[in-house]
Each structure stands twice: as structure tokens, then as C-alpha cells.
Amino acid sequence: MNLYLGIDFGTTGARSTVIDSQGTIHCETEYTFANNGQQQRELPSVWQNALWDSIEQIPPTIRNQVRAIALDGTSSTVMLCNTDGIPVCEPILYNDARGAAVTERLRAIAPANHTVLSATSSLAKLLWWQEGGLEAHPTKQFSLCGTGILPVVEKLYFLHQADWLAFLLHGKLGISDYHNALKLGFDVDTLCYPNWLIEGIAGAATPELPQVVAPGTPVGEVRAQVGDRFGFPRDCMICAGTTDSIAAFLASGVNLPGEAVSSLGSTLAVKLLSHTRVDDSRYGIYSHKLGDLWLVGGASNTGGAVLRHFFTDVELETYSTQIDPEQESLLDYYPLLKKGDRFPINDPNLPPRLEPRPTDSVEFLHGLLESIARIEARGYQLLQELGATPLTKVYTAGGGAKNAVWSAIRKRYLKVPVETPIHTAAAYGVALLAMRGAMGI
């Protein structure tokens, strides 16, 4: 039997899923990152241990049938490595906004309204390394991230988290996929780095940018020592990966334009499969290439974190059953834990609106659920106003998918069917990517 392994690296840990060609799950593992005060510079070791442990947990009888492997990582988590693939300074995580220090240079380089125009983009982090974190000296020695002068480094590689983890498996340094490379500035229309990017980063301290291929592209067979250690077949293929959020979208099975996935976790994220590409940095909207289609997305700061601020999980479940989802709440909130939102309203000073608060907890929860549903509907409306394919169906991922009353409220606002997909785990989605890559689908 041919099996396919997907490994997901999220914010709190790593998960793996092994499937067959029919999509049936044969094994799942989970590894939680230890929170014992390790420094950020130690993260590569943490990730490497998580990778090996996640594989080790898979029974040998399953490992020796794995024909392809793919990984995902958090979007815009980046690192610098030497020619041996060894990190030379601490990685910069997806949500690290130190790139705000190079905003002027970023705007001078990138076209107006481009996806990279964010303090957390991969390109912003690269520029930060060039301007301060990575200092070129006349001796061609580098002072890296405050760690002191290192010996001469002839070449450095700029990699995303998923790129480096895949390198540990196939041994080919400097290969990425165009989902991870989007926020670096890679042009998915022409499938190359644009001139404005190459010219804008040129200088003495310019690392090697990764070669970019389509997600799922077979890159190389598993390294002999890795295959021998874990019992993978010698011809087990490592495929180019993706980001964790796109892997979760792939898991849903959505493949028709107009269908979408709303992720109701701590925050609210929406992704709509569209015939047309939509990019608008004003609202944090950008599009990933998905075959011949585009995955258009945006994210709001509202979501489940606000609900859990006021209610326990038991209260949420109990009070929800007392709400009539067909009865509209007259409470008009904009539920946030702190000021500021970008999508569907772009206002960094937007204040949370949580008043008036009724004494009845059920009524208060009803108002919160209804208000988040309005924000979600407005988000999809904005995507369509900007040119995305009209919405036809919404699948729900995240903890909010379990709340049937909330789904009914959302259906009233979205005016399309609202369903829960069979699979929502990113590890399952990236396993599908490995399977399709190996089968040439």
C-alpha cells in the first residue's frame, strides 16, 4: 500500500497525518513544543526535535509504506542559514513586527498596495536583517543578530520555516514554494522574482533567495540517513510544502470557485476560492495561487478569544442552546479585546464596541455571536466588491465550527449554505499535497 505523510508546524506544536490514496487516515501524531523558557535562537533545535519525534511516533509498519512527505509552516516565519543549512541567527517568527523599522525602505522598493507592505512580511524581515540585524563589514565578516562577529560567510540562504524543515529531509538547500514565498515578493503570475525585488535588496549583505516551485512539487528523495533511521522506502519523495493556513484549507476539500472556509478560532479568518485574484494591502487582503484558481483571504481580530474572555467553554455551550438563531439580536457590537482591526474595517484605532451589556448572559452572548457573524458577512462582501467570485457556500473550521446555533446565525447573514467539513487539520491537508505531488495530480 502507498501511504502519504503530512507534517504541520503550527504555533504551539507539530502534528502529523498519514493517509492512503483514498484519503483514509492511517495514523496521526502530535508533539507540543516545550515551554521551558528556551530562547528564540534555540527554536530551530525545538523544531528539529519536533520533526524527528513526530516521525518516530508513527509505527514502523506504516513508515515503511510512506511514498511521499510534505510539510507546512507558519507563514512568514523566516531564518538565515549557512551553506550547510545551519541557522546563523535566531529565526524571526510570523507575528514579529520588527519590520516596522524598515517601513520607508519597504515602501520605496515595493509597488503600491503590494502584499509585502506589512511589518510582518517575509520581505520586511529580510530588509531588517540587511539594515541592522545583518551588518556587512569591510572584512566581509558578518555581525549576525547581535551574536558577534562570525567567521567569513561566503553565502547565506534566506529560508522559510517549511523550507528548512523540508531540507532536513531531502538535503537540498534553498528551495521554497510559492505559497510561502508570496510575502517575500515572489510573483506567482510570472513565476519569478520581480526586478523591483532583486534590485531593491541588492547589496553586500544580500542572502541567497530560495528557488521557488509549485506547492506539492517533488523535490528529492529522502536523505539516506533519514530513510535508514526511520525506515522510509529509499524512493520516498519529499515534496514542496505550503503554509499552515493553506494546508487547513486544503483539508476541507473545497475545490469550486465561490466556496469558502471561515476559520473561527481565536480570530476570524476567511478564505474564498475565486476565478479572479484580489490583492489589497489596505485591508490585509491577498491571494494565493491554487492551481488555476486563487485563494483570496482576509483576517479580523474579532473571534473566539473575545467569547472566551467573557464565558467559559461550558457557559458558551449552555447559553448557546438557549438562543433562538432565527431571532435577530438588536445588540450591535464590534467585539475586540483591544483597539484596532484591518479587515473588513481598516482602522488601527477602531475601539472595541461591547456596550450596552445586558444583565442576561444569554442575551449578551447572542449579541456577540450575531455581531461576529455580521463582521464575517461584511468580510465576504468586501472580497466580492473587490472582484472575487461571488460566495456560494461556506465551510467552517476552528472551534466555532462546533457551535450549531452560531452556524445557524451565520447562515442567516451569509445567505448561503454553512457546513462543517469532514477534515479540518492542516496535517491532513499537507498529506493530501504530498499525495497529489507524488501522483502528479
Side-chain angles (χ1 to χ4, degrees):
M1 179 184 295
N2 290 339
L3 300 178
Y4 307 92
L5 168 60
I7 306 176
D8 160 53
F9 274 74
T11 56
T12 60
R15 296 165 182 80
S16 81
T17 299
V18 179
I19 63 172
D20 61 26
S21 58
Q22 304 302 311
T24 302
I25 296 174
H26 287 252
C27 178
E28 293 179 297
T29 73
E30 186 169 347
Y31 180 97
T32 302
F33 298 147
N35 187 17
N36 54 6
Q38 68 262 26
Q39 300 297 312
Q40 193 159 319
R41 65 177 177 271
E42 298 170 338
L43 284 177
S45 295
V46 172
W47 297 339
Q48 182 169 311
N49 291 338
L51 175 62
W52 301 147
D53 189 274
S54 297
I55 295 172
E56 194 75 60
Q57 289 183 55
I58 301 169
T61 53
I62 291 180
R63 293 202 299 262
N64 63 27
Q65 298 179 78
V66 171
R67 296 297 168 182
I69 304 171
L71 304 99
D72 70 64
T74 49
S75 178
S76 291
T77 292
V78 297
M79 53 207 302
L80 287 175
C81 299
N82 64 18
T83 53
D84 293 321
I86 298 172
V88 296
C89 61
E90 67 179 29
I92 304 181
L93 299 181
Y94 66 99
N95 58 352
D96 190 313
R98 70 182 72 183
V102 295
T103 298
E104 286 190 22
R105 184 179 170 198
L106 187 61
R107 293 193 178 280
I109 291 172
N113 215 25
H114 197 280
T115 304
V116 300
L117 294 173
S118 164
T120 59
S121 74
S122 299
L123 181 55
K125 291 162 184 168
L126 172 55
L127 295 179
W128 180 87
W129 262 320
Q130 284 190 311
E131 294 211 347
L134 176 61
E135 299 172 3
H137 294 263
T139 58
K140 293 188 178 179
Q141 294 176 325
F142 292 111
S143 175
L144 296 171
C145 304
T147 59
I149 302 300
L150 296 182
V152 173
V153 179
E154 293 184 355
K155 182 185 289 186
L156 293 178
Y157 285 86
F158 181 88
L159 299 175
H160 301 88
Q161 180 188 34
D163 308 340
W164 183 72
L165 290 165
F167 156 75
L168 296 179
L169 297 180
H170 58 55
K172 296 185 176 182
L173 191 61
I175 298 177
S176 188
D177 63 89
Y178 56 58
H179 290 163
N180 274 293
L182 183 74
K183 294 180 183 178
L184 178 56
F186 185 80
D187 190 332
V188 291
D189 277 326
T190 62
L191 297 180
C192 64
Y193 290 108
N195 288 335
W196 63 260
L197 172 60
I198 300 301
E199 295 169 1
I201 65 171
T206 302
E208 189 86 4
L209 299 184
Q211 174 191 346
V212 180
V213 299
T217 300
V219 173
E221 294 179 351
V222 67
R223 298 166 81 170
Q225 60 266 46
V226 176
D228 291 344
R229 174 178 174 181
F230 296 109
F232 290 126
R234 285 300 177 121
D235 60 352
C236 176
M237 186 62 64
I238 311 303
C239 299
T242 183
T243 66
D244 57 344
S245 62
I246 294 183
F249 181 91
L250 294 174
S252 71
V254 170
N255 56 19
L256 296 176
E259 295 186 342
V261 174
S262 290
S263 180
L264 298 176
S266 298
T267 57
L268 165 67
V270 303
K271 285 184 168 61
L272 170 65
L273 200 57
S274 173
H275 284 294
T276 53
R277 178 179 182 176
V278 177
D279 293 293
D280 197 320
S281 64
R282 293 174 301 168
Y283 301 101
I285 297 170
Y286 55 91
S287 298
H288 279 287
K289 188 176 177 63
L290 214 58
D292 296 329
L293 300 172
W294 297 95
L295 188 56
V296 184
S300 170
N301 292 331
T302 194
V306 182
L307 301 178
R308 283 200 168 89
H309 180 75
F310 294 105
F311 302 101
T312 65
D313 287 348
V314 173
E315 288 172 335
L316 285 171
E317 185 175 349
T318 302
Y319 295 155
S320 291
T321 60
Q322 300 175 49
I323 295 172
D324 179 1
E326 299 306 318
Q327 179 66 46
E328 182 178 359
S329 170
L330 298 180
L331 295 169
D332 183 18
Y333 299 142
Y334 203 101
L336 298 169
L337 289 180
K338 59 182 181 180
K339 70 177 184 178
D341 206 0
R342 190 172 188 184
F343 174 86
I345 295 176
N346 179 20
D347 182 356
N349 297 308
L350 183 71
R353 192 165 70 245
L354 295 163
E355 300 289 342
R357 178 172 177 175
T359 55
D360 185 345
S361 295
V362 174
E363 187 180 348
F364 181 47
L365 176 59
H366 189 182
L368 291 174
L369 296 179
E370 190 118 3
S371 297
I372 296 174
R374 290 191 196 104
I375 294 170
E376 178 188 7
R378 174 60 187 135
Y380 282 117
Q381 181 184 346
L382 177 60
L383 296 183
Q384 292 165 92
E385 289 173 357
L386 294 172
T389 298
L391 186 69
T392 59
K393 183 184 289 188
V394 174
Y395 291 88
T396 311
K402 302 172 185 176
N403 192 317
V405 170
W406 198 5
S407 294
I409 292 173
R410 293 169 52 234
K411 182 178 179 180
R412 178 157 47 82
Y413 280 96
L414 294 168
K415 296 180 171 50
V416 297
V418 175
E419 301 180 9
T420 301
I422 297 173
H423 300 289
T424 59
Y428 184 88
V430 79
L432 287 175
L433 193 63
M435 179 189 74
R436 294 166 185 166
M439 298 175 69
I441 299 176

